[in-house]
Amino acid sequence: MTKPLVLVVEDEAPLVTMLRYNLEKEGFQVCEASDGEEALVQIAERKPDLVLLDWMLPLVSGIEVCRRIRRSPETRSLPVVILTARGEETDRVRGLDSGADDYVVKPFSPSELVARLRAVMRRAQPNATQNVLQFADVEVDTVAHRVSRGGKSIHLGPTEFRLLRYLIAHPGRVFSREQLLDAVWGHDVYVEARTVDVHIRRLRKALNSDDAVDVVRTVRSAGYALDHPMR
Ligand code: CA
């Protein structure tokens, strides 16, 4: 099995050296970019399996790099983990809103970082045993990783895709944030419950474009379901 390639996008050289050392020790291959423009070139040329992206970068910010990754059809599903020195909740949520799969706050332990990267990559693996799931006019092709509503293609980030895939497999059933965290993010990763709200918001926004009726039901203090809308 080939070693997964991680693109480290970071402008602080000592941190890059530390990351390279720890990632290579854990069986990853590493390539580097020290600014956002270079990161986009490296992504196109090297096709990494995951991008570890610093928030504070010269020229093009990490958030903007993440947005561009999500906008391009070729890199839409590329796992992105944001490195941030800031601790403010709003920044974390902004990071997730830009399409990142997870974020790690500096300073971090190498073992925590590696666990997060492994979890994100595991979740990004397509499950080839299922095929097309349907609910109302929403269709999820779990093999091709395509989503459509009313026959029109919908672009989702990797986390929203997994969230929808889980919800659509159990239509009408209400899941708590904790249940969704376990099913979509995995038991071994600590993610705050409100992270689920962020991704549900993004999923809802993507599914409900063109003024389509809302098929994501919020059950106050209980959780979320994919359900026929109440009219
Ligand atoms: Ca930086």
Side-chain angles (χ1 to χ4, degrees):
M1 214 178 97
T2 55
K3 294 178 175 180
L5 177 64
V6 176
L7 172 63
V8 174
V9 189
E10 169 61 76
D11 57 319
E12 289 164 62
L15 188 52
V16 175
T17 305
M18 186 276 260
L19 287 167
R20 177 181 279 281
Y21 172 80
N22 282 289
L23 291 174
E24 286 179 346
K25 201 175 69 176
E26 294 292 335
F28 294 95
Q29 298 179 79
V30 175
C31 57
E32 298 169 11
S34 55
D35 64 57
E37 291 290 356
E38 197 189 338
L40 293 165
V41 172
Q42 290 267 357
I43 288 164
E45 286 179 359
R46 302 288 308 268
K47 306 207 185 318
D49 298 296
L50 183 142
V51 179
L52 185 58
L53 185 60
D54 186 30
W55 170 289
M56 298 295 280
L57 286 171
L59 307 178
V60 184
S61 74
I63 296 302
E64 181 54 28
V65 172
C66 192
R67 289 207 182 100
R68 291 196 202 171
I69 289 171
R70 288 292 169 260
R71 270 203 299 264
S72 162
E74 294 86 53
T75 57
R76 202 163 61 215
S77 307
L78 175 61
V80 176
V81 174
I82 291 215
L83 275 179
T84 172
R86 307 181 185 187
E88 292 93 343
E89 194 58 38
T90 48
D91 286 344
R92 298 183 189 192
V93 170
R94 266 184 63 204
L96 293 173
D97 270 338
S98 70
D101 294 270
D102 203 353
Y103 58 86
V104 175
V105 180
K106 298 178 193 172
F108 50 84
S109 76
S111 58
E112 184 205 352
L113 176 72
V114 166
R116 293 282 190 106
L117 299 192
R118 288 225 169 96
V120 166
M121 278 197 273
R122 209 166 38 239
R123 297 197 308 258
Q125 298 286 322
N127 184 345
T129 59
Q130 300 165 284
N131 36 54
V132 179
L133 301 172
Q134 269 184 309
F135 176 74
D137 56 352
V138 180
E139 228 178 54
V140 177
D141 184 329
T142 58
V143 178
H145 270 226
R146 286 205 188 91
V147 175
S148 64
R149 179 154 194 197
K152 281 178 79 176
S153 175
I154 289 172
H155 296 183
L156 292 181
T159 303
E160 287 70 48
F161 179 83
R162 286 188 302 272
L163 203 47
L164 176 61
R165 184 171 66 185
Y166 190 72
L167 290 171
I168 204 168
H170 314 87
R173 202 166 130 193
V174 179
F175 293 100
S176 69
R177 290 171 180 80
E178 287 70 23
Q179 284 172 319
L180 291 173
L181 281 174
D182 280 350
V184 176
W185 279 260
H187 298 276
D188 51 346
V189 174
Y190 176 73
V191 183
E192 288 162 70
R194 76 181 71 179
T195 301
V196 176
D197 300 350
V198 171
H199 287 281
I200 284 280
R201 198 162 67 229
R202 274 154 55 175
L203 175 62
R204 180 175 262 146
K205 198 176 159 201
L207 284 177
N208 299 341
S209 57
D210 295 331
D211 300 319
V213 285
D214 194 356
V215 288
V216 180
R217 184 155 70 97
T218 304
V219 183
R220 198 168 285 278
S221 79
Y224 297 102
L226 198 67
D227 212 347
H228 289 289
M230 317 249 199
R231 288 164 196 272

